[in-house]
Amino acid sequence: EISECLVGSEMCKETAIDLIATDHAPHADYEKAKPLTEAPSGIIGLETSLALGNEALVDTGEFDDAAADLHTMNPAKLYRLDAGYLAENGPADLVLFDPAKEWVPERFYSKSQNSPFLGQKLKGKVEYTICKGKVIFEV
């Protein structure tokens, strides 16, 4: 059971939520410019997911700080990936996230820009992404 990996979090264990993920399948502007019934479904969510989860779950008191497990350890465990944890000689794939930093997304790094969160103030910002020990994204 996925919930087993939520160590030390009674709040998270009592919910029906095992993990949070985004389906990162970006589409080009011309594809999303079609009428709603013809355009590929979905919005860009990868770049706002942690901030939105932070605001909706942690800041409201619905979850404690172990809500990060829903984005990290739990998906890795479900897909049997060697990821989602910190350990000596581990994969060193990290996202450094400042839960207090406010920001306004004006443009996304992804191909598409279709999001209701463009121009909206969010709380919680990814500052660095580290892959195999190397910084690949830095604000």
Side-chain angles (χ1 to χ4, degrees):
E1 180 178 82
I2 298 300
S3 296
E4 290 175 18
C5 65
L6 296 170
V7 176
S9 175
E10 291 305 315
M11 243 190 232
C12 291
K13 287 181 183 176
E14 295 173 5
T15 71
I17 299 173
D18 288 326
L19 60 90
I20 296 173
T22 64
D23 177 17
H24 189 65
H27 299 280
D29 289 343
Y30 72 88
E31 294 175 288
K32 292 305 251 181
K34 295 178 181 180
L36 182 62
T37 57
E38 297 173 25
S41 63
I43 64 168
I44 185 67
L46 181 66
E47 296 178 47
T48 56
S49 178
L50 284 173
L52 294 170
N54 181 57
E55 288 184 58
L57 300 174
V58 179
D59 286 354
T60 62
E62 293 294 323
F63 282 70
D64 58 20
D65 289 336
D69 295 350
L70 299 174
H71 283 93
T72 58
M73 293 181 354
N74 293 10
K77 185 172 182 175
L78 175 70
Y79 290 106
R80 295 177 176 86
L81 301 174
D82 183 28
Y85 65 93
L86 292 175
E88 188 174 343
N89 298 316
D93 293 339
L94 308 167
V95 170
L96 301 180
F97 177 73
D98 181 346
K101 184 166 188 176
E102 293 183 345
W103 63 293
V104 177
E106 300 294 338
R107 176 145 181 77
F108 296 116
Y109 290 92
S110 296
K111 287 194 302 187
S112 86
Q113 301 299 308
N114 58 319
S115 170
F117 304 108
L118 275 172
Q120 180 177 318
K121 185 168 70 170
L122 302 176
K123 184 178 172 195
K125 177 83 171 123
V126 171
E127 298 286 334
Y128 295 90
T129 302
I130 302 167
C131 185
K132 296 181 182 171
K134 294 186 183 346
V135 175
I136 61 168
F137 172 79
E138 179 179 352
V139 175

